[in-house]
Every structure is written in C-alpha cells, then in structure tokens.
Coordinates of all heavy atoms in Angstrom, one line a residue:
M13 N 92.5 90.1 105.6 CA 91.2 90.4 105.8 C 90.3 89.8 104.8 O 90.5 89.9 103.6 CB 91.1 91.9 105.8 CG 89.7 92.4 106.1 SD 89.7 94.2 106.4 CE 90.6 94.9 105.0
K14 N 89.3 89.0 105.2 CA 88.5 88.2 104.3 C 87.5 89.1 103.6 O 87.0 90.0 104.2 CB 87.8 87.1 105.0 CG 88.7 86.1 105.6 CD 88.0 85.1 106.4 CE 89.0 84.2 107.1 NZ 88.3 83.4 108.1
G15 N 87.2 88.9 102.3 CA 86.2 89.6 101.6 C 86.7 90.9 100.9 O 85.9 91.6 100.3
C16 N 88.0 91.2 101.2 CA 88.5 92.5 100.6 C 88.9 92.4 99.2 O 88.8 93.3 98.5 CB 89.7 93.0 101.5 SG 90.1 94.6 101.2
G17 N 89.3 91.2 98.7 CA 89.6 91.0 97.3 C 90.8 91.8 96.9 O 91.6 92.2 97.7
P18 N 90.8 92.2 95.6 CA 92.0 92.9 95.1 C 91.9 94.4 95.4 O 92.8 95.2 95.0 CB 91.9 92.7 93.6 CG 90.5 92.5 93.3 CD 89.9 91.8 94.6
M19 N 90.9 94.9 96.1 CA 90.8 96.3 96.4 C 92.0 96.8 97.2 O 92.4 96.2 98.2 CB 89.5 96.5 97.2 CG 89.1 98.0 97.5 SD 87.6 98.1 98.5 CE 86.5 97.2 97.5
S20 N 92.5 98.0 96.9 CA 93.6 98.5 97.6 C 93.2 99.1 98.9 O 92.0 99.5 99.1 CB 94.4 99.6 96.8 OG 93.6 100.8 96.7
L21 N 94.1 99.3 99.8 CA 93.8 99.9 101.1 C 93.2 101.3 100.9 O 92.2 101.7 101.5 CB 95.0 99.9 102.0 CG 95.0 100.7 103.3 CD1 93.9 100.2 104.2 CD2 96.3 100.7 103.9
E22 N 93.9 102.1 100.1 CA 93.5 103.5 99.9 C 92.1 103.6 99.2 O 91.3 104.4 99.6 CB 94.5 104.3 99.1 CG 95.7 104.6 99.9 CD 95.5 105.2 101.3 OE1 94.7 106.3 101.3 OE2 96.0 104.8 102.3
S23 N 91.9 102.7 98.3 CA 90.6 102.7 97.6 C 89.5 102.3 98.6 O 88.4 102.9 98.6 CB 90.6 101.6 96.5 OG 89.4 101.5 95.9
L24 N 89.7 101.3 99.5 CA 88.8 100.9 100.4 C 88.5 102.1 101.4 O 87.3 102.3 101.7 CB 89.3 99.7 101.2 CG 88.4 99.2 102.3 CD1 87.0 98.8 101.8 CD2 89.0 98.0 103.0
K25 N 89.5 102.7 101.9 CA 89.3 103.8 102.8 C 88.4 104.9 102.2 O 87.5 105.4 102.8 CB 90.6 104.4 103.3 CG 91.4 103.6 104.2 CD 92.7 104.3 104.6 CE 93.5 103.5 105.6 NZ 94.8 104.2 105.9
V26 N 88.7 105.2 100.9 CA 87.9 106.3 100.2 C 86.5 105.8 100.1 O 85.6 106.6 100.4 CB 88.5 106.5 98.8 CG1 87.6 107.3 98.0 CG2 89.9 107.2 99.0
Q27 N 86.2 104.6 99.8 CA 84.8 104.1 99.7 C 84.1 104.1 101.0 O 82.9 104.5 101.1 CB 84.8 102.7 99.1 CG 85.2 102.6 97.6 CD 85.1 101.2 97.1 OE1 84.2 100.5 97.5 NE2 86.0 100.9 96.2
I28 N 84.8 103.8 102.1 CA 84.2 103.8 103.4 C 83.8 105.3 103.8 O 82.7 105.6 104.3 CB 85.1 103.2 104.5 CG1 85.2 101.7 104.2 CG2 84.6 103.4 105.9 CD1 86.2 100.9 105.0
I29 N 84.8 106.2 103.6 CA 84.6 107.6 103.9 C 83.4 108.2 103.1 O 82.5 108.8 103.6 CB 85.9 108.4 103.7 CG1 86.9 108.0 104.8 CG2 85.6 109.9 103.8 CD1 88.3 108.5 104.5
Q30 N 83.4 107.9 101.8 CA 82.4 108.4 100.9 C 81.0 107.9 101.4 O 80.0 108.7 101.4 CB 82.6 108.1 99.5 CG 83.7 108.9 98.9 CD 84.1 108.5 97.5 OE1 83.8 107.4 97.0 NE2 84.7 109.4 96.7
K31 N 80.9 106.6 101.8 CA 79.6 106.1 102.2 C 79.2 106.7 103.5 O 78.0 107.0 103.7 CB 79.7 104.6 102.3 CG 78.4 103.9 102.7 CD 78.4 102.4 102.4 CE 77.1 101.8 102.7 NZ 76.0 102.2 101.9
A32 N 80.1 107.0 104.4 CA 79.8 107.6 105.7 C 79.3 109.0 105.5 O 78.4 109.5 106.1 CB 81.0 107.6 106.6
W33 N 79.9 109.7 104.5 CA 79.5 111.1 104.2 C 78.0 111.1 103.6 O 77.3 112.1 103.8 CB 80.4 111.8 103.2 CG 81.7 112.2 103.8 CD1 82.0 112.4 105.1 CD2 82.9 112.6 103.0 NE1 83.3 112.8 105.2 CE2 83.9 112.9 104.0 CE3 83.2 112.6 101.7 CZ2 85.2 113.4 103.6 CZ3 84.5 113.0 101.3 CH2 85.4 113.4 102.2
T34 N 77.7 110.1 102.8 CA 76.4 110.1 102.1 C 75.3 109.3 102.7 O 74.2 109.4 102.2 CB 76.6 109.7 100.6 OG1 77.2 108.4 100.6 CG2 77.6 110.7 99.9
D35 N 75.6 108.4 103.7 CA 74.7 107.5 104.2 C 74.7 107.6 105.7 O 75.5 106.9 106.4 CB 75.0 106.1 103.7 CG 74.0 105.0 104.2 OD1 73.3 105.3 105.2 OD2 74.0 103.9 103.6
P36 N 73.8 108.4 106.3 CA 73.8 108.6 107.8 C 73.6 107.4 108.6 O 74.2 107.2 109.6 CB 72.6 109.6 108.0 CG 72.4 110.2 106.7 CD 72.8 109.3 105.6
E37 N 72.8 106.4 108.1 CA 72.6 105.1 108.8 C 73.9 104.4 108.8 O 74.3 103.8 109.9 CB 71.5 104.3 108.1 CG 70.1 104.7 108.5 CD 69.1 103.7 107.9 OE1 69.3 102.5 107.9 OE2 68.0 104.2 107.5
F38 N 74.6 104.3 107.7 CA 75.9 103.6 107.7 C 76.9 104.2 108.6 O 77.6 103.6 109.4 CB 76.5 103.5 106.3 CG 77.9 103.0 106.2 CD1 78.2 101.7 106.4 CD2 79.0 103.9 106.0 CE1 79.5 101.2 106.4 CE2 80.3 103.5 106.0 CZ 80.6 102.1 106.2
K39 N 76.9 105.6 108.6 CA 77.9 106.3 109.5 C 77.6 106.0 110.9 O 78.5 105.8 111.7 CB 77.8 107.8 109.2 CG 78.7 108.6 110.0 CD 78.6 110.1 109.7 CE 79.4 110.9 110.6 NZ 79.2 112.4 110.3
A40 N 76.3 106.1 111.3 CA 76.0 105.8 112.7 C 76.4 104.4 113.1 O 76.9 104.1 114.2 CB 74.5 106.0 112.9
K41 N 76.1 103.4 112.2 CA 76.5 102.0 112.5 C 78.0 101.9 112.5 O 78.5 101.1 113.4 CB 75.9 101.0 111.5 CG 76.1 99.6 111.8 CD 75.3 98.7 110.9 CE 75.4 97.3 111.4 NZ 74.6 96.4 110.6
L42 N 78.7 102.5 111.6 CA 80.2 102.5 111.6 C 80.8 103.0 112.9 O 81.7 102.4 113.4 CB 80.7 103.3 110.4 CG 82.2 103.3 110.2 CD1 82.7 101.9 109.8 CD2 82.6 104.3 109.1
M43 N 80.2 104.1 113.4 CA 80.7 104.7 114.6 C 80.4 103.8 115.8 O 81.2 103.6 116.8 CB 80.1 106.1 114.9 CG 80.5 107.1 113.8 SD 82.2 107.3 113.5 CE 82.7 108.2 115.0
A44 N 79.2 103.1 115.8 CA 78.8 102.3 117.0 C 79.3 100.9 116.9 O 79.7 100.3 117.9 CB 77.3 102.2 117.0
D45 N 79.4 100.3 115.7 CA 79.8 98.9 115.6 C 80.5 98.7 114.2 O 79.9 98.2 113.3 CB 78.6 98.0 115.7 CG 78.9 96.5 115.6 OD1 80.1 96.1 115.5 OD2 78.0 95.7 115.7
P46 N 81.8 99.1 114.1 CA 82.4 99.1 112.8 C 82.6 97.8 112.2 O 82.5 97.6 111.0 CB 83.8 99.8 113.1 CG 84.0 99.7 114.6 CD 82.6 99.7 115.2
R47 N 82.8 96.7 113.0 CA 82.9 95.4 112.5 C 81.7 95.0 111.7 O 81.8 94.5 110.5 CB 83.2 94.4 113.6 CG 83.5 93.0 113.2 CD 83.8 92.2 114.5 NE 85.0 92.6 115.1 CZ 86.3 92.4 114.8 NH1 86.5 91.6 113.7 NH2 87.3 92.9 115.5
S48 N 80.5 95.1 112.2 CA 79.3 94.7 111.5 C 79.0 95.7 110.4 O 78.4 95.3 109.4 CB 78.1 94.5 112.5 OG 77.7 95.8 113.0
A49 N 79.3 97.0 110.5 CA 79.0 97.9 109.4 C 79.9 97.6 108.2 O 79.3 97.6 107.1 CB 79.3 99.3 109.9
L50 N 81.1 97.2 108.4 CA 82.0 96.9 107.3 C 81.6 95.5 106.7 O 81.6 95.4 105.4 CB 83.4 96.8 107.7 CG 84.1 98.2 108.1 CD1 85.4 98.0 108.7 CD2 84.1 99.1 107.0
Q51 N 81.1 94.6 107.5 CA 80.7 93.3 107.0 C 79.4 93.5 106.1 O 79.3 93.0 105.0 CB 80.4 92.4 108.1 CG 79.8 91.0 107.7 CD 80.6 90.2 106.8 OE1 81.8 90.1 107.0 NE2 80.1 89.7 105.7
A52 N 78.4 94.3 106.7 CA 77.2 94.4 106.0 C 77.3 95.2 104.7 O 76.7 94.9 103.7 CB 76.2 95.1 106.9
S53 N 78.1 96.3 104.7 CA 78.2 97.2 103.5 C 79.2 96.8 102.5 O 79.1 97.1 101.3 CB 78.4 98.6 104.0 OG 77.3 99.1 104.7
F54 N 80.3 96.1 103.0 CA 81.4 95.9 102.1 C 81.8 94.4 102.0 O 82.7 94.0 101.3 CB 82.7 96.7 102.5 CG 82.5 98.2 102.3 CD1 82.0 99.0 103.3 CD2 82.7 98.8 101.1 CE1 81.8 100.3 103.1 CE2 82.6 100.1 100.9 CZ 82.1 100.9 101.9
G55 N 81.2 93.6 102.8 CA 81.5 92.1 102.8 C 82.9 91.9 103.5 O 83.5 90.8 103.2
I56 N 83.3 92.7 104.3 CA 84.7 92.6 104.9 C 84.5 92.0 106.3 O 83.8 92.4 107.1 CB 85.3 94.0 105.1 CG1 85.6 94.6 103.7 CG2 86.6 93.9 105.9 CD1 86.1 96.0 103.7
T57 N 85.3 90.9 106.5 CA 85.3 90.2 107.8 C 86.7 90.5 108.4 O 87.7 90.0 107.9 CB 85.0 88.7 107.6 OG1 83.8 88.5 107.0 CG2 85.1 88.0 109.0
L58 N 86.7 91.2 109.5 CA 87.9 91.5 110.2 C 88.2 90.3 111.1 O 87.3 89.7 111.8 CB 87.8 92.7 111.0 CG 87.6 94.1 110.3 CD1 87.4 95.2 111.3 CD2 88.9 94.4 109.5
P59 N 89.5 89.9 111.2 CA 89.9 88.8 112.2 C 89.5 89.2 113.6 O 89.5 90.4 113.9 CB 91.4 88.7 112.0 CG 91.7 89.3 110.7 CD 90.6 90.4 110.5
A60 N 89.1 88.3 114.4 CA 88.7 88.6 115.8 C 89.7 89.4 116.6 O 89.3 90.2 117.4 CB 88.4 87.2 116.5
E61 N 91.0 89.2 116.3 CA 92.0 89.9 117.1 C 92.2 91.3 116.7 O 93.0 92.0 117.3 CB 93.4 89.1 117.1 CG 94.0 89.1 115.7 CD 93.5 88.0 114.8 OE1 92.6 87.3 115.1 OE2 94.2 87.8 113.7
I62 N 91.6 91.7 115.6 CA 91.7 93.1 115.1 C 90.7 94.0 115.7 O 89.5 93.7 115.7 CB 91.6 93.1 113.6 CG1 92.7 92.3 112.9 CG2 91.6 94.6 113.0 CD1 94.1 92.7 113.3
E63 N 91.1 95.1 116.3 CA 90.2 96.1 116.8 C 90.2 97.3 115.9 O 91.3 97.8 115.5 CB 90.6 96.5 118.2 CG 89.8 97.6 118.9 CD 90.3 97.9 120.3 OE1 91.4 97.6 120.6 OE2 89.5 98.6 121.0
I64 N 89.1 97.9 115.5 CA 89.0 99.0 114.7 C 88.2 100.1 115.5 O 87.2 99.9 116.1 CB 88.4 98.8 113.3 CG1 88.4 100.0 112.4 CG2 87.0 98.2 113.4 CD1 88.1 99.7 111.0
L65 N 88.8 101.3 115.5 CA 88.2 102.4 116.3 C 88.0 103.6 115.4 O 88.9 104.4 115.1 CB 89.2 102.9 117.4 CG 89.6 101.8 118.4 CD1 90.7 102.2 119.3 CD2 88.4 101.3 119.2
P66 N 86.7 103.8 114.9 CA 86.5 104.9 114.0 C 86.4 106.2 114.9 O 85.9 106.2 116.0 CB 85.1 104.6 113.4 CG 84.5 103.6 114.4 CD 85.6 102.9 115.0
V67 N 86.9 107.2 114.3 CA 86.8 108.6 115.0 C 86.4 109.6 113.9 O 86.7 109.4 112.7 CB 88.1 109.0 115.6 CG1 88.4 108.1 116.8 CG2 89.3 109.0 114.7
E68 N 85.8 110.6 114.3 CA 85.3 111.6 113.3 C 86.0 113.0 113.6 O 85.9 113.5 114.7 CB 83.8 111.8 113.4 CG 83.3 112.8 112.4 CD 81.8 112.9 112.4 OE1 81.2 112.4 113.4 OE2 81.3 113.5 111.5
E69 N 86.7 113.5 112.6 CA 87.4 114.8 112.8 C 86.3 115.9 112.6 O 85.3 115.6 111.9 CB 88.5 115.0 111.7 CG 89.7 114.1 112.0 CD 90.8 114.4 111.1 OE1 90.6 114.9 110.0 OE2 92.0 114.1 111.5
T70 N 86.5 117.0 113.2 CA 85.7 118.2 113.0 C 86.6 119.3 112.5 O 87.8 119.2 112.4 CB 84.9 118.6 114.2 OG1 85.9 119.0 115.2 CG2 84.1 117.4 114.8
L71 N 85.9 120.5 112.4 CA 86.8 121.7 112.0 C 87.7 122.0 113.1 O 88.8 122.7 112.8 CB 85.8 122.8 111.7 CG 85.0 122.7 110.4 CD1 84.0 123.9 110.3 CD2 85.8 122.5 109.2
S72 N 87.5 121.7 114.3 CA 88.4 122.0 115.4 C 89.0 120.8 116.1 O 89.7 121.0 117.1 CB 87.7 122.9 116.4 OG 86.6 122.2 117.0
R73 N 88.8 119.6 115.6 CA 89.3 118.4 116.2 C 90.0 117.5 115.2 O 89.3 117.1 114.3 CB 88.3 117.7 117.0 CG 88.8 116.4 117.7 CD 87.7 115.7 118.5 NE 86.6 115.4 117.6 CZ 85.4 115.1 118.0 NH1 85.1 115.2 119.3 NH2 84.4 114.8 117.2
Y74 N 91.3 117.3 115.3 CA 92.0 116.5 114.4 C 92.7 115.3 115.1 O 93.0 115.4 116.2 CB 93.1 117.3 113.6 CG 92.5 118.4 112.8 CD1 92.3 119.7 113.4 CD2 92.2 118.2 111.5 CE1 91.7 120.7 112.6 CE2 91.6 119.3 110.7 CZ 91.4 120.5 111.3 OH 90.9 121.5 110.6
Y75 N 92.9 114.2 114.4 CA 93.6 113.1 114.9 C 94.9 112.8 114.2 O 94.9 112.9 112.9 CB 92.7 111.8 114.8 CG 91.5 112.0 115.7 CD1 90.3 112.5 115.3 CD2 91.5 111.6 117.1 CE1 89.2 112.7 116.1 CE2 90.5 111.7 117.9 CZ 89.3 112.3 117.4 OH 88.2 112.4 118.2
L76 N 95.9 112.5 114.9 CA 97.2 112.2 114.3 C 97.4 110.7 114.6 O 97.5 110.3 115.8 CB 98.3 113.0 115.0 CG 99.7 112.6 114.6 CD1 99.9 112.9 113.1 CD2 100.7 113.4 115.4
V77 N 97.4 109.9 113.6 CA 97.5 108.4 113.7 C 99.0 108.0 113.6 O 99.6 108.4 112.6 CB 96.7 107.7 112.6 CG1 96.8 106.2 112.7 CG2 95.2 108.1 112.8
I78 N 99.5 107.4 114.6 CA 100.8 106.9 114.6 C 100.8 105.4 114.2 O 100.3 104.6 115.0 CB 101.5 107.1 115.9 CG1 101.3 108.5 116.5 CG2 103.0 106.7 115.9 CD1 102.0 109.6 115.6
P79 N 101.3 105.0 113.0 CA 101.2 103.6 112.7 C 102.3 102.9 113.4 O 103.2 103.5 114.0 CB 101.6 103.7 111.2 CG 102.3 104.9 110.9 CD 101.8 105.9 112.0
P80 N 102.2 101.5 113.4 CA 103.2 100.7 114.1 C 104.6 101.0 113.5 O 104.7 101.2 112.3 CB 102.8 99.3 113.9 CG 101.6 99.3 113.0 CD 101.2 100.7 112.7
N81 N 105.6 101.0 114.4 CA 107.0 101.1 113.9 C 107.4 99.8 113.3 O 107.4 98.8 113.9 CB 107.9 101.4 115.2 CG 109.3 101.6 114.8 OD1 109.7 101.2 113.7 ND2 110.0 102.2 115.7
P82 N 107.8 99.9 112.0 CA 108.2 98.7 111.2 C 109.3 97.9 111.9 O 109.4 96.7 111.9 CB 108.6 99.2 109.9 CG 107.8 100.5 109.7 CD 107.8 101.1 111.1
A83 N 110.2 98.7 112.6 CA 111.3 98.0 113.3 C 110.8 97.2 114.5 O 111.5 96.3 114.9 CB 112.3 99.1 113.8
E84 N 109.6 97.4 115.0 CA 109.1 96.7 116.1 C 108.1 95.6 115.7 O 107.6 94.8 116.5 CB 108.4 97.6 117.1 CG 109.3 98.6 117.7 CD 108.6 99.7 118.6 OE1 107.3 99.6 118.7 OE2 109.3 100.5 119.1
L85 N 107.8 95.5 114.4 CA 106.9 94.5 113.9 C 107.6 93.2 113.6 O 108.7 93.2 113.0 CB 106.2 95.0 112.7 CG 105.2 96.2 112.9 CD1 104.6 96.5 111.5 CD2 104.2 95.8 113.8
E86 N 107.1 92.1 113.9 CA 107.6 90.8 113.5 C 106.6 89.9 112.9 O 105.5 89.7 113.4 CB 108.2 90.1 114.8 CG 108.9 88.8 114.5 CD 109.5 88.2 115.7 OE1 110.0 88.9 116.6 OE2 109.4 87.0 115.9
R87 N 106.8 89.5 111.7 CA 105.9 88.6 111.0 C 106.0 87.2 111.5 O 107.1 86.8 111.9 CB 106.1 88.7 109.5 CG 105.7 90.1 108.9 CD 105.9 90.2 107.5 NE 105.1 89.2 106.8 CZ 104.9 89.2 105.5 NH1 105.3 90.1 104.8 NH2 104.2 88.2 105.0
P88 N 104.9 86.4 111.4 CA 105.0 85.0 111.8 C 106.0 84.2 111.1 O 106.6 83.3 111.7 CB 103.6 84.5 111.5 CG 102.7 85.7 111.4 CD 103.6 86.8 110.9
D89 N 106.4 84.5 109.9 CA 107.4 83.8 109.1 C 108.8 84.2 109.4 O 109.7 83.7 108.8 CB 107.1 83.8 107.6 CG 107.2 85.2 107.0 OD1 107.6 86.1 107.7 OD2 106.9 85.4 105.8
G90 N 108.9 85.2 110.3 CA 110.3 85.7 110.7 C 110.9 86.7 109.8 O 111.9 87.2 110.1
S91 N 110.2 87.1 108.7 CA 110.7 88.1 107.8 C 110.6 89.5 108.4 O 109.8 89.7 109.4 CB 110.0 88.1 106.5 OG 108.7 88.5 106.6
D92 N 111.3 90.5 107.9 CA 111.3 91.8 108.5 C 110.2 92.7 107.9 O 109.9 93.7 108.5 CB 112.6 92.5 108.2 CG 113.8 91.9 109.0 OD1 113.5 91.2 110.1 OD2 114.9 91.9 108.5
A93 N 109.6 92.3 106.8 CA 108.6 93.2 106.2 C 107.3 93.3 107.1 O 106.9 92.3 107.5 CB 108.2 92.7 104.8
P94 N 106.8 94.5 107.2 CA 105.6 94.7 108.1 C 104.4 94.1 107.3 O 104.3 94.1 106.1 CB 105.5 96.2 108.2 CG 106.2 96.8 107.1 CD 107.3 95.8 106.8
E95 N 103.5 93.6 108.1 CA 102.2 93.0 107.6 C 101.1 93.9 108.2 O 101.0 94.0 109.4 CB 102.0 91.6 108.0 CG 100.8 91.0 107.4 CD 100.7 89.5 107.8 OE1 101.6 88.9 108.3 OE2 99.6 88.9 107.5
Y96 N 100.3 94.6 107.3 CA 99.3 95.4 107.8 C 97.9 94.8 107.7 O 97.7 94.0 106.8 CB 99.3 96.8 107.1 CG 100.6 97.6 107.3 CD1 101.6 97.6 106.4 CD2 100.7 98.2 108.5 CE1 102.8 98.3 106.7 CE2 101.9 98.9 108.8 CZ 102.9 98.9 107.9 OH 104.1 99.6 108.1
V97 N 97.0 95.2 108.5 CA 95.7 94.5 108.6 C 94.9 94.8 107.3 O 94.3 93.9 106.8 CB 94.9 95.1 109.8 CG1 93.5 94.7 109.8 CG2 95.6 94.8 111.1
W98 N 94.9 96.0 106.8 CA 94.1 96.4 105.7 C 94.6 96.0 104.3 O 93.9 96.1 103.4 CB 93.9 97.9 105.7 CG 93.1 98.4 106.8 CD1 93.5 98.8 108.0 CD2 91.6 98.6 106.8 NE1 92.4 99.1 108.8 CE2 91.3 99.1 108.0 CE3 90.7 98.4 105.8 CZ2 90.0 99.4 108.4 CZ3 89.4 98.8 106.2 CH2 89.0 99.2 107.4
S99 N 95.8 95.5 104.2 CA 96.3 95.2 102.9 C 96.0 93.8 102.4 O 95.5 93.0 103.2 CB 97.9 95.4 102.9 OG 98.5 94.6 103.8

C-alpha cells in the first residue's frame, strides 16, 4: 500500500477509527468512499484490485471478520507466508 510508510497496521487502524469518532465529515466520506477518504486524510493509495468495505458496529450489531486462511494464500514469489494488504 503506497503512502503508508513505516506505520503499523494496528496503529493505522487506531488512527482511522479515532478520526472517524471525532470528525463526522471524515466518517461520512469513509463510509461512502473509503478509497478517497484514506487518500485525502492519510495519504494512503490502495491498489486498484483492493476493495475496502467499512462497516459500523452499534450496541446491538457486531461484525465478525474472518481473515483469509493462510493455507489458501499463495504469494507471487511462491513462498508460503501470507501477504496482507495493510502491512
């Protein structure tokens, strides 16, 4: 992911969430067009083949995210280690 620099995945997620909590305009843009919201606010350019789907939990609605199974991932160089979008 271009523009992310040395920032860790967890640090980036925290920053995005905090900005969404404190900046209603950013949150609305993030929900409607996450690609441009991340570019404008964090300088992050997602590759065209990457789709990002923001969802908002509530007190009565939770999301369980199932990550890709590492056993089913294949890196372009043929190694077994998974390659994640945000890292």
Side-chain angles (χ1 to χ4, degrees):
M13 185 164 51
K14 298 175 185 170
C16 193
M19 186 181 306
S20 76
L21 169 61
E22 288 308 309
S23 174
L24 177 59
K25 286 182 180 179
V26 168
Q27 288 184 37
I28 293 169
I29 291 166
Q30 287 177 339
K31 185 163 180 67
W33 284 344
T34 60
D35 183 341
E37 278 187 39
F38 170 74
K39 181 179 175 183
K41 188 170 185 177
L42 181 67
M43 298 304 288
D45 186 359
R47 185 175 299 278
S48 65
L50 293 174
Q51 174 62 46
S53 293
F54 293 91
I56 295 170
T57 302
L58 295 172
E61 67 275 8
I62 299 302
E63 180 180 14
I64 185 167
L65 303 170
V67 293
E68 183 177 12
E69 291 185 336
T70 67
L71 293 175
S72 62
R73 181 178 55 203
Y74 297 88
Y75 292 90
L76 175 62
V77 178
I78 309 297
N81 182 341
E84 295 174 359
L85 296 177
E86 186 177 316
R87 290 182 59 165
D89 64 4
S91 68
D92 293 332
E95 181 176 353
Y96 295 100
V97 173
W98 289 88
S99 58

